[in-house]
Amino acid sequence: MTLTPTTRPTTHPTPLTKQPTRTPALTADRGRGADPSPSALVRADGSPVRVLVVEDEQAVTELLSMVLRYEGWEVRGADDGAGAVRCAREFEPDAVVLDATLPDMDGLAVLKELRRELPDVPVLFLAARGAGTARITGLTAGGDDLVAKPFSLEDVVARLRGLIRRTSLRTGAHPGGAAAARNDCVLRVGDLVLDEDSREVWRGDESIHLTGTEFELLRYLMRNPRRVLSKAQILDRVWSYDFGGQANVVELYVSYLRKKIHAGRTPMIHTRRGAGYLIKPGE
């Protein structure tokens, strides 16, 4: 297999397979000593996020390490399961990239050992395309996400960012744990969380996919918890017009949101007849 690393993140994913042909033009120490960007991820104490890469192919480990350091993160590598467990115990990573097939241990066995040391650490599996359905199901059930080989470096970074954010929001910031560099980009109402930077939404541990308009509507509601917002206010803020004849579009999108946000849970979006809508924690 050949390795086609990316030089820096682009909007067109570059496939990563295994055998390097050129050196990527990445700055390995980017971010060290520099102020984080508004959406940067750091640990609660301000130090870089830590990622453990467990992969028996040295070329893949080096490329992943390089692109993750480009994000300003601290990276360590291990090439087998036993080494991964030892490193995790010492390094205490905020996320792990784990090859599903290692020389000494199966990926699920490594995951089990890692979780004994670090119960909440998110794990991103790397698995070869064409892996059996049962194996993929087992990996996704045990781990937090999975990327099939060949993969793009950008995809790995994006998925890790999402996992780290999601874990920090679920467990809460704690000394040494990863957290968002800015808290003002995260909105919370009860167990509903909206990240304005990553445009991700969760209720409890479950990620919720929203369209662009649904996201903007939910953001407006969550910025004004327990406040009744009229259809005219919502139209003006979300759709940027206040033509009364189109007020039914608000009802339509509120119904879309309810289906996704409620989904068998305690309702959070409420109607005040003749007045408008409000969001409040489920009770």
Side-chain angles (χ1 to χ4, degrees):
M1 304 175 76
T2 46
L3 184 69
T4 311
T6 57
T7 57
R8 57 180 301 152
T10 66
T11 56
H12 304 288
T14 305
L16 176 62
T17 52
K18 280 194 169 180
Q19 177 187 336
T21 57
R22 61 188 176 91
T23 303
L26 295 172
T27 304
D29 290 326
R30 172 186 178 270
R32 296 190 180 278
D35 293 333
S37 65
S39 60
L41 292 175
V42 294
R43 305 190 107 211
D45 60 5
S47 62
V49 162
R50 299 176 183 177
V51 180
L52 172 61
V53 177
V54 186
E55 165 65 63
D56 63 332
E57 291 285 341
Q58 185 177 357
V60 176
T61 300
E62 289 176 353
L63 276 174
L64 285 173
S65 298
M66 191 173 293
V67 78
L68 296 178
R69 290 188 179 112
Y70 184 82
E71 290 295 309
W73 301 347
E74 186 176 351
V75 184
R76 289 194 188 177
D79 58 9
D80 59 26
V85 175
R86 287 194 302 270
C87 188
R89 187 181 298 121
E90 173 189 331
F91 186 47
E92 296 186 349
D94 300 300
V96 177
V97 180
L98 176 60
D99 191 354
T101 306
L102 294 168
D104 60 339
M105 298 172 68
D106 177 81
L108 286 175
V110 178
L111 175 65
K112 185 176 180 180
E113 294 297 321
L114 288 174
R115 288 278 161 80
R116 286 179 182 172
E117 300 290 334
L118 302 166
D120 296 318
V121 67
V123 175
L124 174 65
F125 270 110
L126 306 179
R129 287 190 192 277
T133 302
R135 180 174 183 76
I136 294 298
T137 301
L139 293 178
T140 53
D144 298 275
D145 202 352
L146 181 145
V147 173
K149 299 178 181 180
F151 53 81
S152 73
L153 295 170
E154 299 97 318
D155 190 24
V156 171
V157 171
R159 288 175 186 247
L160 282 174
R161 290 179 68 86
L163 288 176
I164 293 168
R165 283 181 180 275
R166 197 172 308 146
T167 302
S168 65
L169 291 172
R170 184 178 72 240
T171 62
H174 54 85
R182 284 174 47 205
N183 290 323
D184 59 352
C185 68
V186 177
L187 305 177
R188 294 181 178 86
V189 176
D191 62 348
L192 183 64
V193 178
L194 180 149
D195 190 312
E196 295 183 291
D197 282 346
S198 67
R199 298 185 71 84
E200 295 174 293
V201 176
W202 305 272
R203 186 159 186 193
D205 291 339
E206 183 179 349
S207 177
I208 299 172
H209 174 73
L210 300 180
T211 66
T213 302
E214 291 167 350
F215 182 88
E216 293 302 327
L217 174 57
L218 181 61
R219 172 156 61 178
Y220 185 40
L221 290 170
M222 292 182 69
R223 282 179 171 176
N224 297 275
R226 298 183 181 274
R227 176 186 173 191
V228 177
L229 301 171
S230 69
K231 290 181 181 178
Q233 288 175 306
I234 294 172
L235 279 169
D236 183 59
R237 180 60 62 91
V238 178
W239 280 270
S240 300
Y241 62 80
D242 58 0
F243 177 52
Q246 297 295 324
N248 62 326
V249 75
V250 176
E251 298 176 14
L252 181 64
Y253 273 86
V254 167
S255 71
Y256 292 160
L257 268 186
R258 281 174 167 154
K259 288 179 181 177
K260 295 183 178 182
I261 300 301
H262 297 171
R265 306 182 186 90
T266 305
M268 297 184 69
I269 302 173
H270 303 272
T271 302
R272 292 293 180 260
R273 195 171 299 279
Y277 303 95
L278 80 155
I279 191 169
K280 63 180 183 178
E283 299 172 352

